[in-house]
C-alpha cells in the first residue's frame, strides 16, 4: 500500500498521522498517544487488511500490517491474558494483521512474549531464548530483553521493516 493510501485510511478513521514515511517497501505512520487511542489505531491496522476496505485496496489479503505500540504493556489485571482484549489505552505492543484479522499479537519484554496468540515468530523467539521451556538467557541474566529490544529486532528482521533512525 502506498503512503497516501495508508495515511488517508487512518485519517478517515480519525487517526491522523503525526509522522509518516516509506522505506524498504513499507509505508509507515506514527501517532501521538496523547491524542489518539492506541486501541483505535490497532483496530484500523487490522481493518484495512480486510473486506471493509476491499474496494479501496483491491481485496483482502492484498494488504498486511504490522502494528507496533510504544506504550507500555497494559497494567490492567486482565492485561496479562493474551486472549482477553486490553483496555483501549493499552493495545498489544505487536500485532500482525492480514485478511481483516489479527494473525499474531503479544506484548514485548519481560517474558511477555510467552503469552501470545499465533505461531508467527515462534521459531525466532525460541532461537533467541525469549520463549520456551529452556530460556538460558533469562536464567543467566534476569534483565535480558527487559525492554523488548531483542524482540523488536526479531520483528524488524522478520518483516524487513525499516530501522528507526
Amino acid at each position: 500500500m502506498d503512503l497516501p493510501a495508508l495515511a488517508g485510511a487512518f485519517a478517515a478513521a480519525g487517526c491522523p498521522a503525526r509522522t509518516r514515511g516509506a522505506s524498504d517497501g513499507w509505508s509507515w505512520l506514527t501517532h501521538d498517544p496523547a491524542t489518539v487511542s492506541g486501541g483505535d489505531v490497532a483496530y484500523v491496522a487490522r481493518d484495512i487488511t480486510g473486506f471493509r476496505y476491499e474496494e479501496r485496496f483491491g481485496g483482502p489479503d492484498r494488504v498486511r500490517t504490522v502494528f507496533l505500540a510504544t506504550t507500555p504493556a497494559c497494567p490492567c489485571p486482565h492485561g496479562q491474558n493474551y486472549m482477553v482484549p486490553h483496555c483501549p489505552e493499552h493495545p498489544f505492543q505487536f500485532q500482525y494483521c492480514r485478511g481483516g484479522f489479527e494473525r499474531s499479537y503479544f506484548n514485548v519484554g519481560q517474558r511477555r512474549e510467552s503469552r501470545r496468540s499465533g505461531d508467527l515468530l515462534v521459531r525466532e523467539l525460541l532461537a533467541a531464548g525469549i520463549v520456551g521451556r529452556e530460556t538460558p538467557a533469562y536464567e543467566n541474566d534476569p534483565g535480558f530483553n527487559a525492554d523488548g529490544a531483542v524482540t523488536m529486532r526479531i520483528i524488524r528482521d522478520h518483516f524487513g521493516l525499516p530501522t528507526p533512525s
Side-chain angles (χ1 to χ4, degrees):
M1 174 183 313
D2 65 15
L3 183 56
L6 179 67
F10 274 89
C15 302
R18 180 175 65 174
T19 62
R20 59 188 177 170
S23 177
D24 298 330
W26 286 90
S27 296
W28 55 267
L29 307 170
T30 64
H31 303 277
D32 185 354
T35 59
V36 178
S37 162
D40 292 343
V41 175
Y43 293 142
V44 176
R46 176 199 62 206
D47 292 346
I48 63 175
T49 69
F51 290 102
R52 181 179 294 179
Y53 289 85
E54 179 176 21
E55 290 180 16
R56 194 172 195 179
F57 302 124
D61 281 343
R62 298 237 12 212
V63 175
R64 60 188 180 133
T65 62
V66 175
F67 172 79
L68 300 171
T70 58
T71 55
C74 185
C76 303
H78 62 277
Q80 297 298 318
N81 302 319
Y82 64 86
M83 294 304 287
V84 177
H86 288 194
C87 62
E89 292 80 29
H90 300 96
F92 288 100
Q93 292 169 313
F94 164 75
Q95 174 180 297
Y96 170 69
C97 300
R98 189 172 38 90
F101 297 97
E102 296 97 344
R103 301 294 180 161
S104 187
Y105 51 90
F106 53 80
N107 284 315
V108 299
Q110 300 177 347
R111 298 184 182 216
R112 290 185 191 102
E113 298 87 351
S114 62
R115 294 179 294 272
R116 68 189 176 285
S117 177
D119 291 335
L120 184 70
L121 302 174
V122 73
R123 286 189 176 119
E124 293 97 326
L125 294 171
L126 280 166
I130 294 172
V131 300
R133 291 194 172 119
E134 296 180 21
T135 54
Y138 283 115
E139 293 163 14
N140 296 330
D141 178 9
F144 171 71
N145 199 35
D147 61 357
V150 176
T151 303
M152 295 304 276
R153 181 188 47 76
I154 290 169
I155 292 168
R156 280 193 318 269
D157 291 350
H158 179 86
F159 292 102
L161 300 176
T163 302
S165 43

